[in-house]
Amino acid sequence: MRRILLISVLITMCSFCHAQNANVQAKIAEIRKMYNNEMEWINTMLGDETIPDDYITSKVRHNIAGTGQAEETIEFFFNDDFDEELGKYVSSLDFVRKTSVYTIAERKSYEEFLYDDAGFPAFYYTSFTTYLEDGDHYAEKYVEIRAYYDKGVLFHTICKLGNDNSSLVEVPLTEELENQLFFGFLQFGKLKDALEGMLN
């Protein structure tokens, strides 16, 4: 009797885990489709002179302690929709690309921020080189992190690590890389505020 009960519980748990995994994969596929549609629209908009542009490119140069002169290029892609309640056009941020180059430390990082139709974070991507603990010493590593959000709530991450972008393997997030992900998430709100400040 106990054996039958144990087998029933295990089958139920396996079914539940499979359903959860299928749900996660479906959400990831939906976000990837949203991302691909956004990339297609950006390429169409930038490549067709007859389509009005809805983007801002911002270049920021500043000195950062320990890394020297830094240059950031931030591209804001947005749309203007008429808000019936407000009775005016309102700009909403769809996608941001951000490249940062640090001269003394010779580091470069790249980030992408995708917002859903309601303005919540949907997807975050970053790639960068950094020094990470590798046994008894630190080694320079290339990192890629992808984070998927459902209405702004993180539900899945993929972290890859390698000596360069051709040797990447998937690894669990370390505490240091979780911090990178956390600071990336905070930028979603800051970038929306920055666009609002530039347009209004």
Side-chain angles (χ1 to χ4, degrees), residues 28-149:
I28 289 172
E30 183 181 324
I31 291 169
R32 286 180 176 161
K33 183 177 179 183
M34 187 189 319
Y35 178 91
N36 290 336
N37 289 343
E38 188 65 31
M39 291 302 99
E40 186 178 336
W41 167 245
I42 288 171
N43 291 332
T44 300
M45 177 183 67
L46 296 179
D48 189 338
E49 293 181 6
T50 63
I51 298 174
D53 293 334
D54 281 327
Y55 78 98
I56 296 171
T57 299
S58 171
K59 287 197 178 285
V60 180
R61 290 180 59 85
H62 57 113
N63 191 45
I64 299 176
T67 58
Q69 183 69 53
E71 180 171 299
E72 293 181 342
T73 302
I74 309 169
E75 297 172 279
F76 299 83
F77 296 93
F78 57 94
N79 67 69
D80 294 315
D81 289 323
F82 191 76
D83 188 314
E84 296 288 343
E85 291 180 14
L86 297 175
K88 65 177 185 176
Y89 280 92
V90 176
S91 299
S92 58
L93 190 54
D94 293 332
F95 186 78
V96 176
R97 290 191 288 222
K98 180 178 177 185
T99 304
S100 304
V101 179
Y102 309 100
T103 54
I104 292 178
E106 295 183 359
R107 291 284 176 266
K108 182 177 181 179
S109 68
Y110 177 74
E111 295 172 285
E112 294 180 344
F113 305 82
L114 177 68
Y115 297 80
D116 66 18
D117 290 340
F120 291 110
F123 175 71
Y124 172 69
Y125 168 82
T126 184
S127 63
F128 57 94
T129 53
T130 189
Y131 283 92
L132 296 174
E133 197 171 336
D134 188 11
D136 59 349
H137 66 286
Y138 280 84
E140 186 176 31
K141 297 292 181 183
Y142 178 80
V143 181
E144 284 189 355
I145 300 174
R146 289 169 175 81
Y148 298 86
Y149 301 88

